[in-house]
Amino acid sequence: MNTSTRQRGWEEISAEFLRMKAIERGLAASTLVTYRLTIADLRRFCESKYYQPSDLDPAVVVEWLESTLARGLSHATRRLYYSVVRNFSAHLVRLGVLKSNGARALKLRPGQRPLPRVPSCAALDALIRSMNPESGNLREARDYLMIRVASECGLRVSELVSLTAGQLDPARGVLHVRGKGGKERIVPVNPDLTDKLGKIAATADRREGGHLFTTRRRKLMTRQAFNKVLRERCAAAHVPPMHPHALRHAYATSLLDGGADTMGIRELLGHADIGTTQIYVHVATSKLRAVYRRFHPRAA
């Protein structure tokens, strides 16, 4: 192995890795931030132990992952860290810094995946009823539509805030949603919501991208801004606070409760892994257990 290649430092190699991910895979900005933070964590750990990139063998990877466990990181976060370090190790192999990707053969300790927190139908209905889209208040109409689209179409927050007029097909009553990795999926929209979205699509500024949801200053909404909107609207409606992603959970759970199969739900949510979708089966099962414990005479 070339000596100069082995001695390349963390800063140079990690920067090159992130550039490659941005260009070759076209990862979303939020995913790139996750990659950057994960590599930064790995780098801090290795530099504290005086490990160079060329030292990143399975033992070092295990040591790092064990340190994340000791710090109390969730199993989901540790799974994400493991995915990133496998990708990074593969990059080191391509550069000739490592002979093989030892991280690929490692297994994480099993961990229980937490069930998503799903808002009740009553709370969600109360939240939506607390807003009047016909009041003439543009901000209230915008918030009403965003919350309905998130809960009735199951969009990720990044997909919601970036929606444009061109993604709405009012004739077919569908949204063309661009998800993770640039993948497109078609999501049905009920006629009432289609009509309301069509009205704001007609007024969207196509010269500025035709975005459906903007701030009062006509700037593009951000995930953080919508999180704040949702928090404030929940408080005004006197319902428990909801996280934006909880609206997506509510959509998936309502589909499952209505009899939809997991493969169909997977397509509507844009999940790459069916295992991600199957977590909603566990949510439904837990609800059934609760009903059984409450009403069956022999459940005690």
Side-chain angles (χ1 to χ4, degrees):
M1 189 179 296
N2 187 298
T3 304
S4 62
T5 301
R6 285 180 56 88
Q7 291 177 347
R8 294 175 69 185
W10 281 104
E11 185 165 353
E12 180 186 357
I13 289 179
S14 57
E16 183 179 349
F17 170 69
L18 293 169
R19 280 196 302 272
M20 181 200 71
K21 288 297 177 185
I23 296 170
E24 290 186 7
R25 293 192 56 189
L27 296 179
S30 57
T31 305
L32 284 172
V33 169
T34 299
Y35 267 70
R36 187 175 297 109
L37 293 174
T38 304
I39 294 300
D41 189 275
L42 173 66
R43 176 181 173 180
R44 281 193 300 271
F45 171 82
C46 288
E47 288 182 336
S48 72
K49 304 282 187 177
Y50 301 101
Y51 295 141
Q52 294 298 318
S54 56
D55 297 318
L56 200 64
D57 60 13
V60 172
V61 173
V62 168
E63 190 180 356
W64 172 59
L65 291 173
E66 290 295 311
S67 77
T68 66
L69 181 63
R71 283 183 274 153
L73 271 65
S74 69
H75 184 69
T77 301
R78 294 175 59 246
R79 281 180 57 184
L80 178 60
Y81 274 30
Y82 175 50
S83 174
V84 173
V85 79
R86 280 192 308 173
N87 275 272
F88 185 62
S89 295
H91 178 66
L92 295 179
V93 172
R94 285 192 294 271
L95 292 179
V97 175
L98 293 178
K99 289 183 178 180
S100 62
N101 184 356
R104 183 180 298 170
L106 298 176
K107 298 287 185 182
L108 279 182
R109 291 183 183 180
Q112 186 174 7
R113 197 171 192 178
L115 296 180
R117 297 176 64 180
V118 182
S120 69
C121 292
L124 194 51
D125 286 345
L127 173 61
I128 292 172
R129 286 199 310 270
S130 70
M131 294 170 284
N132 179 10
E134 309 299 334
S135 66
N137 184 315
L138 294 179
R139 183 182 179 189
E140 185 170 355
R142 178 204 66 191
D143 296 351
Y144 170 87
L145 283 175
M146 292 189 77
I147 290 170
R148 279 198 61 184
V149 171
S151 61
E152 295 179 28
C153 301
L155 271 59
R156 299 179 178 92
V157 186
S158 57
E159 297 166 348
L160 176 69
V161 298
S162 62
L163 269 181
T164 65
Q167 291 176 253
L168 175 67
D169 184 344
R172 296 174 60 199
V174 298
L175 283 171
H176 294 264
V177 181
R178 288 186 288 272
K180 289 185 176 180
K183 295 179 181 177
E184 184 177 293
R185 67 184 189 277
I186 296 176
V187 178
V189 187
N190 78 48
D192 171 62
L193 189 53
T194 299
D195 181 59
K196 287 180 169 58
L197 288 173
K199 289 177 181 177
I200 65 167
T203 63
D205 189 346
R206 308 255 174 180
R207 294 169 301 177
E208 297 294 329
H211 290 103
L212 296 182
F213 306 120
T214 59
T215 66
R216 283 178 291 183
R217 296 181 179 179
R218 308 298 294 174
K219 300 293 184 182
L220 181 64
M221 283 284 287
T222 64
R223 293 181 301 161
Q224 295 79 4
F226 179 63
N227 191 11
K228 182 181 178 183
V229 163
L230 184 57
R231 189 168 60 247
E232 291 174 348
R233 290 296 179 185
C234 286
H238 305 291
V239 299
M242 302 176 195
H243 188 273
H245 208 68
L247 302 179
R248 181 168 156 90
H249 293 324
Y251 171 76
T253 306
S254 64
L255 288 174
L256 190 65
D257 289 345
D261 62 89
T262 51
M263 289 302 295
I265 296 172
R266 175 191 178 183
E267 291 297 320
L268 289 168
L269 291 174
H271 285 157
D273 181 4
I274 188 65
T276 308
T277 313
Q278 286 173 334
I279 193 169
Y280 295 107
V281 176
H282 299 302
V283 173
T285 303
S286 67
K287 289 170 67 177
L288 288 174
R289 288 197 192 101
V291 171
Y292 170 74
R293 285 196 298 267
R294 183 177 177 184
F295 295 107
H296 197 280
R298 297 186 182 276

